[in-house]
Amino acid sequence: QVHLVESGGGSVHAGESLRLSCTASGLTDEPYALAWFRQVPGKQREGIICIARVGTLVNDRFKGRFTISRDHPTNAVSLQMDNLTPEDTATYYCAARQKTTCVLNSVSYDSWGQGTHVTVSS
């Protein structure tokens, strides 16, 4: 019953920034953790960053470049991506799990958005 929708993907040049948004609906009154993942063809889905009641968790690969924040007044989160490189080209997904803590393992999440694609050219 949880519905997640990503938006904000597009094409940028290396060194530029992009901000993705994820809007969530159908959440219960239980606490939820919200996270961003990305995936390219032939590779595993990779955890980027998560926000939950007890704090945030970021993959070291993205520390200092990618930031997560909650948007108001709706149940939404944003992913701010700075200093993008061609290796950041991927489909980006938001995900939710009914927990107060964060993990970056895709198996731990049971609700997913459809994804939004980001292309970074050199």
Side-chain angles (χ1 to χ4, degrees):
Q1 69 278 29
V2 177
H3 185 53
L4 306 173
V5 179
E6 305 95 335
S7 63
S11 298
V12 297
H13 291 292
E16 296 181 342
S17 298
L18 200 62
R19 187 177 181 90
L20 308 181
S21 295
C22 174
T23 300
S25 62
L27 299 178
T28 70
D29 291 333
E30 300 296 321
Y32 272 83
L34 296 171
W36 286 94
F37 293 76
R38 74 182 190 186
Q39 189 168 29
V40 299
K43 298 186 67 176
Q44 297 290 320
R45 190 163 295 188
E46 181 179 30
I48 302 170
I49 196 166
C50 171
I51 187 166
R53 180 165 296 181
V54 300
T56 60
L57 177 67
V58 59
N59 188 325
D60 285 341
R61 290 179 176 269
F62 307 100
K63 188 175 297 183
R65 290 202 304 127
F66 287 22
T67 305
I68 194 169
S69 62
R70 289 194 180 274
D71 297 332
H72 66 88
T74 61
N75 295 118
V77 293
S78 295
L79 178 67
Q80 178 67 39
M81 305 186 295
D82 297 322
N83 194 25
L84 289 165
T85 74
E87 284 190 320
D88 296 318
T89 296
T91 300
Y92 287 75
Y93 299 88
C94 61
R97 74 181 198 136
Q98 193 173 307
K99 294 288 186 294
T100 61
T101 58
C102 276
V103 296
L104 293 176
N105 185 342
S106 62
V107 175
S108 298
Y109 292 83
D110 54 14
S111 299
W112 294 86
Q114 83 289 345
T116 185
H117 189 70
V118 172
T119 299
V120 184
S121 61
S122 59

